[in-house]
Amino acid sequence: MKSTLEPQEGNKVKLSIAVDEAEFEADIDAAFKRIAREVRLPGFRPGKAPRKVLEARIGLEAARGEAFEQAVPKYYLEAVEEHDVDVIAQPEFDITAGQEGGDVAFDAVVEIRPEITVGGYDSLRVTIPSPDVDPSEIDDRIDRLRESFAELESVERPAQTGDNVTIDIAGSREGEAIDGLTADDYLYEVGSATIVPELDEKLVGAKVDDVVEFTADHPLPDEDPVDFKVVVKAIKEKVLPEADDAFAAEASEFETIDELRADLETRFGMVKKVQASMAVQQKTAEALADLVTDEVPEALVSQEMQQRLEDLAMRLQAQGVGIEQYLAQTGQDQEAFVGELRESAAQGVKVDLALRAVAVAEGLEVSDDELEDEYAAVAERVGQKTAQVRKQLERNGQVSAVRSDLRTRKALEWLTEHVELVDEGGNTIDRDSLVVAPEPSEDDGPEAEAPEATTEDE
């Protein structure tokens, strides 16, 4: 087999493939063997009829057609591998010679992954959540803890947001009470908006024994409006304990409020560092996609959509939920869901193409050792030996794809190491501030040295 590669318009290439008659004869012979397994001839068991007998009975033309159907895709894939063509769609075949006899020749026109350039990738600036803990954030967390220890005390004043009121509430439509919207001595927090927003509006400023009446939309969609009658029977305000040592001792394992604050700051600080670190890659990818001005191929977008849909279906299946149930539970219609899926898929394609461009621009390559490490990682995930995984990938012609994925991964790592990081206020973030210090183990004595901190990218 011989093949040549020729660029075409529209991000396509043409592979011209020629197979001499002697080589194609083996494909014709294989076609006769396949036909023999399906044709029943007197005196021969299935699959045992000689080629000469079959050729005399059905003719050479049928076997040659069968050979073309099976051999053309095979020779095409060999040419793709020979020229290292990164195809992204199904080819269009055109048989140019050999349909009736002699040497075989055909063309295959196929769309390939475009190679793009992205300007400005080396000076990206991304905004991520600050990894630093603001004292007000600790105050808020302590206040939420105080809320859980709050006591309710009756007050003589009108109700305010945050108060707890005891009410009789009656929801009705045309005089008929509605189940779930009628209750006596119901304790309700003003401002919680857990029934209808109008209830909170009417309760603010209300006094004990006041009766408020109003009409509001039903809490459930597609239901008719509801008439409400509410009687205010008691008003109580929350009294929070003082944020002092006594509170700390009651609400935690710490004896002082300073110790409690220090622990909250440490734990919340770890969470913020992790959140900020996770945002680096996501925000970097988003910023990189914004640099792509080329139109992305529809074939790649469709493939990405299909992959994301399959991933979602598998996750939902593990929970015993189907796509239709998921859409119903999330309140999405199919058209909006497909639109969002297409948008996110197109974004993903842009990121992938841009990362490939960065890898080329920065000369990032994947060594054989790194490839072997990837085989080992895959083998561990699927519970096979590394040699088995390597052999299977080589047999399926997927080694180039694995190497390419590793290159894009390295490109993203390179970018996350070089982008400028700022917080919401535009302040520069030092990468060292994203490092989460390891907790000392129980075996570490007081003289044990803390291990040297490293970033995730090292």
Side-chain angles (χ1 to χ4, degrees), residues 312-362:
L312 174 61
M314 288 182 63
R315 293 197 301 271
L316 293 176
Q317 185 178 15
Q319 303 171 30
V321 178
I323 292 289
E324 292 183 359
Q325 288 176 283
Y326 168 76
L327 294 178
Q329 292 172 2
T330 56
Q332 299 182 76
D333 60 54
Q334 185 172 342
E335 185 177 350
F337 171 73
V338 172
E340 291 180 6
L341 184 64
R342 172 172 291 278
E343 185 177 346
S344 63
Q347 181 86 346
V349 171
K350 286 184 177 182
V351 172
D352 178 72
L353 292 176
L355 287 174
R356 292 169 185 269
V358 171
V360 172
E362 295 299 325

Side-chain angles (χ1 to χ4, degrees), residues 244-293:
D244 53 18
D245 292 347
F247 165 70
E250 179 183 4
S252 70
E253 70 270 30
F254 301 101
E255 296 298 324
T256 67
I257 192 67
D258 289 340
E259 290 175 334
L260 175 58
R261 288 186 66 91
D263 178 70
L264 288 173
E265 185 169 358
T266 298
R267 291 191 285 122
F268 188 41
M270 292 177 62
V271 172
K272 294 200 69 174
K273 289 178 188 292
V274 171
Q275 290 175 337
S277 296
M278 292 175 62
V280 172
Q281 284 197 353
Q282 177 187 345
K283 295 299 183 180
T284 298
E286 292 174 359
L288 184 64
D290 290 340
L291 298 178
V292 178
T293 57

Side-chain angles (χ1 to χ4, degrees), residues 28 88 104 215 366:
I28 297 176
I88 62 173
V104 170
T215 300
V366 176

Side-chain angles (χ1 to χ4, degrees), residues 89 388 409 454:
Q388 289 178 291
R409 200 182 305 170
T454 58

Side-chain angles (χ1 to χ4, degrees), residues 375-376 378-380 382-392:
Y375 293 155
V378 173
E380 185 175 356
V382 300
Q384 295 182 355
K385 293 182 179 179
T386 301
Q388 289 178 291
V389 170
R390 186 194 311 107
K391 185 176 181 180
Q392 184 175 354

Side-chain angles (χ1 to χ4, degrees), residues 11-45:
N11 196 48
K12 294 182 178 181
V13 297
K14 180 171 74 173
L15 286 162
S16 297
I17 301 165
V19 183
D20 62 41
E21 184 176 13
E23 183 174 359
F24 192 67
E25 184 63 26
D27 296 300
I28 297 176
D29 194 53
F32 271 116
K33 291 180 180 178
R34 288 192 296 272
I35 293 172
R37 290 195 291 268
E38 299 178 4
V39 175
R40 294 184 178 276
L41 294 177
F44 297 98
R45 288 179 296 168

